[in-house]
């Protein structure tokens, strides 16, 4: 084929493909099958491979995703991306309507009501009709440039159709909208992740947000993201209103929702809300409410905004969706710290965008308070991202033979361990360190995203490796590379999968100290507490040497946590575990940062203290821990280098010396004041 013939064919193919994208995403009315579409795309790929000079950034072939990026650049939005005031109440909507009427000083206005897509807000910039940049909302003023990821989304036109307004072509503009994922696509991805033993996503919004932040656009390309555009911003062309903008966007090739409505008054808005309250469960995607906007752009600018919120728009949010289903059983789940959580096994029911078959029942008291019994029809509720909750049952539908639930006395792990409940605690615990369920949860937690973040070591894989005897505790993870051959013999494991996991394990050696501390799974030590501890102790050795008193003196660490830490490090096998993790090369201390040295971020950084006398409420080790936790140093004798003398009752020679050297003498209250800042 000659270059000219190729150029012509490339042109035709691109137009055809764009036309099909439009039919598919904007009109939701495709005229060819996926296979036929793929054939067109393949032909275009082949031609561009043969004639690379014909490749252009707006070609549909560019959607497969370019090279991974290291970091997204920050971009400043031309106009801030505002948030909306939220309400759950119709009365507040009526108030909003009154404010609009008063603000405009007329009854002559209309609203555009639209579905509130539950996704991620995005801004798309076009120059001369071509997509040039796309960014996340970020803090509203600056966001992340995620153009390379957005390019892969077929629903976003790379080049727009020619549209004119009053004879002026629409070429330079910004479109804003919500990127979202359909429920079916979401469930497909989660199902595949379960098969691969990977972690699942809580809901389509989280998956969408996670996908947009991916550094590899090739993965984004496979995730079938959608967009619903809702606003058009342009300087050169006069637009009249919101509905008008929607039509123009559609004409240019941007998908907008099809379900928006122009409402002449607030009553019409109320019926729109009621209509969608009933219909939303049948949508193919999630919405979390409706958005109400004054339609006229001129009236919008009269109303203006207060801080981040426009006075011409508001969001009405729907209450969490509820559903009824049968409580088939209650089973016990053993957590990583031995905590026993009762879980409801439910007949699968579709609610808020996904199928629910499990819900936590928290503890024995929760079950007793709800009064639910196995066999009951229970009411479950699911908010945007929260795990489903059981909120009640239907008394009329209770089977005659439904029995009161008896909380088990033994751990379900099969070792016959009696469950223990401590004074003042709602939970029962299994305290057998050999408990296999606990071991499993411990390792799963260790590998999880917030902890060591080991790619390729998801729940299913941990389970399999544990069953095969290759994992017993978290330190065994770092011995897995010595068992490559054995792993390869297991079902569903091939070279590539093993390699990926080992790479993930290797990378986890770089995880910072606080993540390791959290990952180890000490009772009550969550992410927040781990961070506090790392702020107070530079290394695991310092932490292990601390006694209960000095731990409890750290701001934010209560006696319960202090006790748990001392108990944990007091157990020989836990100390051995730490030693094995150290030998495996994990980070067990925090790097010396500039902040440690200069007056940086902690209240007492760079200050040296001497403590003397009896303090009114603190013992000396507590005061020492408190000072050190805030970055200060405590020494034994007063010198010219001492910044403060912390003095209590009966302070003797140290006080005299400090006075002589002109060192500031403080009491316990002043110390606390210094820390409180
Ligand atoms: S209009 C001034 N329309 O909801 C902001 N927003 O809480 C005008 N959203 O950040 C936004 N669907 O991400 C608008 N049909 C829709 C929407 C919508 C979802 C999101 C958007 C915005 C957030 C506001």
């Amino acid at each position: 084929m000659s270059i000219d013939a190729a150029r012509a064919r490339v042109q035709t193919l691109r137009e055809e493909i764009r036309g099909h994208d439009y039919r598919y995403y904007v009109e939701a009315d495709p005229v060819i099958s996926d296979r036929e579409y793929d054939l067109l795309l393949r032909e275009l790929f082949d031609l561009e491979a043969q004639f690379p000079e014909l490749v252009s950034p707006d070609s549909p072939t560019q959607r497969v995703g370019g090279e991974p990026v290291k970091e997204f650049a920050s971009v400043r939005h031309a106009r801030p991306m505002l948030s909306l005031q939220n309400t759950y109440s119709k009365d507040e909507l009526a108030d909003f309507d009154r404010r609009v009427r008063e603000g405009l000083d007329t009854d002559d206005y209309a609203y555009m009501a639209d579905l509130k897509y539950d996704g991620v807000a995005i801004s798309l910039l076009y120059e001369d009709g071509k997509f040039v940049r796309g960014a996340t909302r970020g803090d509203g003023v600056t966001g992340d440039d995620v153009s390379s990821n957005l390019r892969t989304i077929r629903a976003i036109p790379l080049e727009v159709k020619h549209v004119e307004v009053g004879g002026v072509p629409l070429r330079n503009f910004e479109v804003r909208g919500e990127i979202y994922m359909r429920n079916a696509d979401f469930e497909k991805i989660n199902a595949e992740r379960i098969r691969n033993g990977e972690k699942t996503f809580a809901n389509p919004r989280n998956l969408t947000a996670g996908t947009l932040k991916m550094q590899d656009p090739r993965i984004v390309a496979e995730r079938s993201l959608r967009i619903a555009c809702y606003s058009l911003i342009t300087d050169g062309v006069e637009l009249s209103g919101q509905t008008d903008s929607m039509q123009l966007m559609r004409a240019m090739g941007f998908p907008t929702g099809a379900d928006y409505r122009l409402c002449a008054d607030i009553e019409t808005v109320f019926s729109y809300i009621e209509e969608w309250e009933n219909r939303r469960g049948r949508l193919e995607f999630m919405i979390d409410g409706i958005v109400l906007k004054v339609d006229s752009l001129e009236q919008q600018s009269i109303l203006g905004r207060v801080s981040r919120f426009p006075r011409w728009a508001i969001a009405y949010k729907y209450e969490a969706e509820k559903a009824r289903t049968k409580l088939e059983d209650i089973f016990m789940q053993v957590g990583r710290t031995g905590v026993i959580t009762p879980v409801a096994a439910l007949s699968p029911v579709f609610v808020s965008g996904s199928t629910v078959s499990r819900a936590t029942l928290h503890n024995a008291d929760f079950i007793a308070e709800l009064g639910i019994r196995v066999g009951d029809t229970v009411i479950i509720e699911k908010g945007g991202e929260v795990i489903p909750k059981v909120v009640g049952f239907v008394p009329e539908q209770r089977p005659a033979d439904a029995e009161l639930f008896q909380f088990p006395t033994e751990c379900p792990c099969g070792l016959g361990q009696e469950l223990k409940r401590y004074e003042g605690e709602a939970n029962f615990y299994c305290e057998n360190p050999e408990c296999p369920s606990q071991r499993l949860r411990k390792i799963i937690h260790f590998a999880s995203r917030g902890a060591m973040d080991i790619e390729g070591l998801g729940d299913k894989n941990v389970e399999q490796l544990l069953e095969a005897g290759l994992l017993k505790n978290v330190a065994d993870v770092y011995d897995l590379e010595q068992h490559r051959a054995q792993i390869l013999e297991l079902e569903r494991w091939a070279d590539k999968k093993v390699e990926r996991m080992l790479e993930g394990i290797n990378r986890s050696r770089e995880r910072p100290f606080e993540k390791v501390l959290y990952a180890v799974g000490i009772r009550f030590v969550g992410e927040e507490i781990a961070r506090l501890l790392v702020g107070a102790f530079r290394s695991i050795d310092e932490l292990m040497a601390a006694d209960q008193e000095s731990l409890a003196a750290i701001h934010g660490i209560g006696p319960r946590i202090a006790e748990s830490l001392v108990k944990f490090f007091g157990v020989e096998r836990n100390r051995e575990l730490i030693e094995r993790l150290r030998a495996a090369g994990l980070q067990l201390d925090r790097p010396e940062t500039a902040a440690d040295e200069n007056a940086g971020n902690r209240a007492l950084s760079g200050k040296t203290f001497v403590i003397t006398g009896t303090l009114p409420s603190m013992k000396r080790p507590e005061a020492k821990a408190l000072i050190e936790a805030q970055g200060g140093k405590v020494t034994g004798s007063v010198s010219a280098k001492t910044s403060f003398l912390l003095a209590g009752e009966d302070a003797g020679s140290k006080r005299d010396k400090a006075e002589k050297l002109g060192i500031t003498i403080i009491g316990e209250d002043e110390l606390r004041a210094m820390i409180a800042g």
Side-chain angles (χ1 to χ4, degrees):
M1 193 185 272
S2 73
I3 176 94
D4 288 336
R7 184 174 291 116
R9 180 66 188 147
V10 160
Q11 191 70 20
T12 317
L13 281 168
R14 285 181 189 165
E15 268 162 33
E16 258 184 66
I17 291 169
R18 270 182 211 127
H20 290 304
D21 285 341
Y22 184 81
R23 298 286 304 225
Y24 191 89
Y25 290 104
V26 182
E27 295 182 331
D29 182 23
V31 285
I32 59 169
S33 69
D34 287 0
R35 198 182 137 65
E36 287 165 308
Y37 180 92
D38 288 342
L39 284 176
L40 293 175
L41 201 58
R42 167 106 341 250
E43 188 184 344
L44 181 60
F45 260 117
D46 291 345
L47 274 176
E48 288 183 0
Q50 210 181 330
F51 301 97
E53 62 270 45
L54 298 180
V55 179
S56 76
D58 54 333
S59 170
T61 57
Q62 301 307 299
R63 295 208 193 266
V64 288
E67 287 301 302
V69 290
K70 283 243 154 42
E71 212 174 300
F72 299 115
S74 236
V75 288
R76 206 180 164 82
H77 298 296
R79 288 192 209 171
M81 289 181 81
L82 305 179
S83 311
L84 289 184
Q85 192 198 327
N86 284 331
T87 177
Y88 289 87
S89 125
K90 300 237 171 84
D91 286 346
E92 284 183 19
L93 276 192
D95 288 343
F96 167 80
D97 181 48
R98 193 167 340 103
R99 288 196 300 274
V100 167
R101 190 173 325 113
E102 285 166 10
L104 294 174
D105 200 19
T106 171
D107 283 343
D108 191 13
Y109 57 91
Y111 289 115
M112 189 191 95
D114 195 2
L115 304 181
K116 187 170 185 316
Y117 292 80
D118 198 6
V120 177
I122 211 89
S123 137
L124 307 170
L125 214 59
Y126 287 78
E127 280 169 14
D128 195 24
K130 294 194 170 66
F131 172 71
V132 290
R133 195 196 78 195
T136 59
R137 179 175 179 279
D139 61 5
V141 178
T142 51
D144 284 341
D145 181 339
V146 288
S147 308
S148 49
N149 285 343
L150 293 171
R151 242 173 222 296
T152 70
I153 301 176
R154 271 172 52 192
I156 298 176
L158 295 175
E159 185 174 1
V160 302
K161 295 188 179 213
H162 188 89
V163 167
E164 292 183 1
V165 180
V168 184
L170 211 44
R171 303 297 290 166
N172 301 305
F173 55 86
E174 182 184 341
V175 161
R176 289 179 180 175
E178 197 85 353
I179 305 277
Y180 67 97
M181 186 178 281
R182 292 192 166 199
N183 300 333
D185 291 322
F186 166 73
E187 295 206 10
K188 219 188 288 167
I189 291 172
N190 260 358
E192 190 182 325
R193 291 177 74 88
I194 291 173
R195 273 199 302 282
N196 292 339
E198 292 170 313
K199 284 153 282 192
T200 55
F201 290 91
N203 55 43
R205 176 170 28 85
N206 284 2
L207 178 47
T208 303
T211 304
L212 284 176
K213 290 269 164 74
M214 298 209 55
Q215 288 167 342
D216 191 347
R218 286 166 295 204
I219 304 176
V220 185
E222 291 167 4
R223 292 246 173 116
S224 23
L225 292 176
R226 305 264 170 160
I227 187 167
C229 299
Y230 51 69
S231 91
L232 174 61
I233 303 169
T234 156
D235 284 335
V237 178
E238 282 288 304
L239 304 171
S240 62
Q242 206 68 54
T243 31
D244 177 44
S245 309
M246 296 292 259
Q247 278 153 18
L248 287 172
M249 285 191 286
R250 277 179 86 83
M252 284 193 286
F254 294 95
T256 61
D259 303 307
Y260 60 90
R261 186 178 303 165
L262 189 64
C263 303
D265 50 36
I266 196 79
E267 272 70 39
T268 319
V269 172
F270 289 154
S271 24
Y272 180 85
I273 289 176
E274 273 148 36
E275 185 183 325
W276 282 102
E277 169 112 59
N278 297 322
R279 284 176 70 183
R280 70 176 166 137
R282 294 194 296 277
L283 282 168
E284 289 174 305
F285 48 85
M286 305 255 294
I287 61 168
D288 58 342
I290 70 116
V291 178
L292 183 59
K293 299 171 235 192
V294 168
D295 191 61
S296 148
L297 297 188
E298 193 186 332
Q299 289 180 329
Q300 285 184 5
S301 72
I302 294 173
L303 290 164
R305 63 168 153 134
V306 216
S307 75
R308 293 184 302 124
F309 302 114
R311 289 166 61 197
W312 44 267
I314 192 166
Y316 177 86
K317 297 250 235 170
Y318 290 120
E319 294 294 344
E321 253 183 284
K322 287 195 169 90
R324 291 177 173 197
T325 190
K326 189 171 163 213
L327 176 61
E328 303 278 1
D329 196 9
I330 297 176
F331 64 92
M332 298 296 135
Q333 200 166 51
V334 187
R336 62 188 160 90
T337 57
V339 64
I340 306 291
T341 310
V343 179
L346 306 163
S347 299
V349 56
F350 190 81
V351 50
S352 286
S354 64
T355 303
V356 174
S357 52
R358 302 238 180 293
T360 174
L361 294 172
H362 305 288
N363 53 49
D365 296 345
F366 186 81
I367 299 176
E369 270 158 38
L370 280 175
I372 52 172
R373 300 181 179 185
V374 171
D376 272 342
T377 297
V378 291
I379 302 164
I380 62 167
E381 189 183 283
K382 200 165 153 216
E385 65 214 290
V386 280
I387 308 157
K389 278 194 295 226
V390 176
V391 294
F393 69 100
V394 188
E396 309 84 66
Q397 290 184 20
R398 167 164 288 172
D401 58 351
E403 284 174 25
L404 211 62
F405 181 70
Q406 297 292 335
F407 208 83
T409 51
E410 269 181 22
C411 180
C413 68
L415 298 184
Q417 180 74 25
E418 200 176 319
L419 299 180
K420 210 163 162 189
R421 186 173 177 169
Y422 289 94
E423 195 55 41
E425 275 227 26
N427 295 319
F428 282 95
Y429 286 92
C430 164
E431 298 206 314
N432 191 339
E434 305 285 334
C435 168
S437 319
Q438 257 180 78
R439 293 196 150 159
L440 174 70
R441 308 303 325 172
K442 272 201 165 77
I443 305 172
I444 288 176
H445 164 75
F446 183 80
S448 69
R449 205 174 296 166
M452 300 307 280
D453 193 20
I454 304 179
E455 179 97 43
L457 192 57
D459 304 11
K460 287 274 170 293
N461 293 346
V462 172
E463 209 172 327
Q464 207 185 358
L465 294 168
L466 196 107
E467 269 168 24
L470 292 167
L471 286 179
K472 278 205 176 58
N473 58 43
V474 300
D476 293 341
V477 166
Y478 297 93
D479 292 341
L480 282 176
E481 56 190 332
Q482 294 158 27
H483 304 294
R484 211 183 272 258
Q486 270 161 287
I487 302 173
L488 278 169
E489 278 168 20
L490 301 175
E491 216 175 296
R492 292 186 291 116
W493 285 85
D495 272 333
K496 217 170 132 197
K497 187 163 154 185
V498 176
E499 231 24 75
R500 191 168 141 246
M501 176 182 75
L502 292 177
E503 262 171 37
I505 291 173
N506 213 8
R507 265 201 307 276
S508 76
R509 290 186 162 93
E510 306 299 318
R511 294 289 276 174
F513 179 28
E514 63 187 63
K515 297 288 181 194
V516 181
L517 196 53
Y518 167 60
V520 169
I522 304 168
R523 189 180 294 174
F524 307 131
V525 178
E527 283 178 284
E528 196 57 38
I529 299 298
R531 208 169 302 135
L532 272 178
L533 289 170
V534 170
F537 301 94
R538 280 163 213 242
S539 67
I540 195 98
D541 296 318
E542 270 186 34
L543 176 61
M544 290 201 292
D547 59 14
Q548 200 162 322
E549 219 171 38
S550 44
L551 281 164
I554 297 168
H555 186 70
I557 308 277
R560 204 174 61 134
I561 303 171
E563 187 189 338
S564 165
L565 280 160
V566 170
K567 214 164 146 188
F568 181 88
F569 291 121
V571 175
E572 183 57 30
R573 74 161 75 211
N574 291 338
R575 284 182 173 262
E576 277 168 23
L577 197 76
I578 300 289
E579 287 322 309
R580 284 183 62 201
L581 294 179
R582 195 197 304 270
L586 266 56
Q587 309 294 318
L588 294 176
D589 47 23
R590 76 172 136 89
E592 202 71 21
T593 60
D596 282 331
E597 294 308 318
N598 59 38
N601 49 9
R602 285 186 295 156
L604 307 179
S605 299
K607 306 276 190 293
T608 305
F609 290 75
V610 174
I611 310 173
T612 182
T614 313
L615 299 169
S617 84
M618 278 191 269
K619 295 217 170 78
R620 281 206 218 169
E622 290 174 54
K624 179 168 186 276
L626 189 63
I627 292 167
E628 285 172 352
Q630 295 297 329
K633 251 201 225 145
V634 177
T635 61
S637 57
V638 176
S639 76
K641 288 198 189 128
T642 308
S643 325
F644 297 98
L645 180 77
L646 175 60
E649 285 282 285
D650 300 326
S653 60
K654 287 185 185 167
R655 189 178 180 117
D656 300 339
K657 187 163 180 199
E659 273 171 2
K660 229 178 265 164
L661 291 170
I663 287 159
T664 314
I665 299 172
I666 58 168
E668 189 183 309
D669 289 345
E670 283 155 301
L671 176 71
R672 289 193 195 277
M674 283 164 81
I675 289 164

